[in-house]
């Protein structure tokens, strides 16, 4: 029987929701791994709505759950309904929606607050010693909720101009966590906390390398489940 995995989304679109390629890659690798997946998102208003053609905010108001339903092809539930007891693992794709909607990292950095249902979900899986997978900016959720954990967002220096958000690693360290430098096609496993992370689009890399990195994260999560 396949592992039961919850996938948590933050909207639809890199600048104000979940990064679509990351969410899709996670779903493809989970499918390949024989997992049974259910998708969730919090029913809250987005912090902002961005015109992805122009890269600028609009005056629109959108709901995170409703927008995430686009990625889930309509088959999605409110995050408030997620019960960790019904799953073997949970995975959070990245995208600015994580830093805007699931927490306030985009505005407050290491002083951010985490959405109550996101926090309770992470705590429930961690307490049950069930694996948590995070990619791109999502590892900051673990860094905020689990001081002392190990995560990666890629490199801690802007190596060859490929890691423009390398300062995120320093902020993670300031939270009392250990940042592990990894390449885009790799993931890091914090065995003590069962947290698996990969940098994905935190690195400027060809799409197939990002896809492969997310694959290693999913594979490790399923091994731990």
């Amino acid at each position: 029987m396949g592992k039961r995995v919850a996938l948590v989304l933050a909207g639809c679109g890199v600048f104000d929701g979940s990064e679509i390629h990351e969410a899709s890659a996670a779903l493809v690798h989970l499918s390949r791994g024989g997992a049974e997946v259910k998708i969730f998102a919090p029913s809250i208003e987005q912090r902002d709505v961005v015109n992805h053609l122009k890269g600028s905010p609009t005056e629109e108001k959108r709901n995170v759950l409703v927008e995430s339903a686009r990625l889930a092809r309509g088959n999605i539930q409110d995050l408030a309904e997620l019960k960790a007891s019904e799953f073997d693992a949970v995975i959070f794709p990245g995208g600015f929606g994580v830093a805007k909607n699931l927490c306030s990292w985009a505005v407050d950095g290491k002083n951010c607050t985490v959405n109550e249902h996101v926090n309770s979900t992470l705590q429930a899986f961690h307490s049950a010693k069930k694996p948590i997978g995070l990619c791109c900016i999502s590892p900051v959720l673990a860094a905020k909720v689990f001081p002392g954990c190990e995560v990666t967002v890629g490199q801690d220096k802007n190596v060859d101009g490929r890691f423009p958000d390398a300062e995120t690693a320093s902020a993670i360290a300031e939270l009392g966590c250990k940042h592990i430098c990894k390449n885009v096609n790799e993931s890091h496993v914090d065995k003590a906390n069962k947290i698996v992370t990969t940098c994905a689009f935190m690195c400027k890399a060809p799409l197939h390398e990002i896809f492969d990195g997310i694959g290693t994260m999913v594979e490790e999560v399923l091994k731990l489940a």
Side-chain angles (χ1 to χ4, degrees):
M1 183 177 175
K3 302 293 171 63
R4 300 163 300 168
V5 180
L7 188 83
V8 181
L9 298 179
C12 182
V14 60
F15 298 130
D16 58 12
S18 288
E19 210 298 319
I20 293 171
H21 298 294
E22 291 178 10
S24 179
L27 288 166
V28 169
H29 288 295
L30 285 166
S31 176
R32 185 170 286 144
E36 177 188 338
V37 181
K38 290 190 177 179
I39 305 175
F40 297 84
S43 184
I44 56 175
E45 187 177 296
Q46 291 184 189
R47 178 174 289 273
D48 61 14
V49 177
V50 175
N51 180 323
H52 280 59
L53 181 61
K54 296 180 178 178
S56 57
T58 72
E59 296 299 316
E60 289 182 66
K61 303 292 184 184
R62 297 191 184 185
N63 177 279
V64 173
L65 177 59
V66 172
E67 291 303 295
S68 297
R70 295 174 181 271
L71 277 170
R73 297 172 61 86
N75 189 9
I76 194 169
Q77 293 174 258
D78 190 329
L79 183 60
E81 300 173 6
L82 195 161
K83 295 181 176 62
S85 59
E86 297 178 354
F87 295 91
D88 300 302
V90 64
I91 288 177
F92 289 76
F96 282 110
V98 171
K100 292 178 175 181
N101 305 325
L102 303 192
C103 70
S104 63
W105 187 279
V107 175
D108 302 318
K110 62 184 176 63
N111 298 314
C112 72
T113 55
V114 178
N115 171 273
E116 60 174 320
H117 295 303
V118 173
N119 182 68
S120 62
T121 295
L122 289 168
Q123 295 282 10
F125 278 86
H126 188 259
S127 297
K129 294 180 168 49
K130 294 179 178 181
I132 299 166
L134 309 119
C135 66
C136 194
I137 193 64
S138 292
V140 302
L141 296 172
K144 187 66 181 181
V145 176
F146 307 119
C149 72
E150 298 176 356
V151 299
T152 188
V153 289
Q155 300 291 322
D156 56 11
K157 294 181 178 60
N158 191 7
V159 182
D160 298 326
R162 299 175 74 224
F163 294 88
D165 301 305
E167 71 277 0
T168 304
S170 299
I172 285 169
E174 289 175 19
L175 285 169
C177 299
K178 186 174 182 180
H179 180 266
I180 310 296
C181 291
K182 290 286 183 177
N183 292 322
V184 66
N185 59 348
E186 299 176 315
S187 57
H188 176 70
V189 181
D190 177 348
K191 293 182 180 178
N193 290 293
K194 290 194 171 182
I195 295 171
V196 189
T197 51
T198 188
C199 70
F201 278 99
M202 294 292 276
C203 176
K204 290 184 176 180
L207 183 57
H208 70 277
E209 292 183 12
I210 292 164
F211 183 90
D212 291 345
I214 293 170
T216 68
M217 181 266 286
V218 169
E219 183 179 359
E220 294 295 340
V221 165
L222 293 177
K223 281 181 186 176
L224 290 171

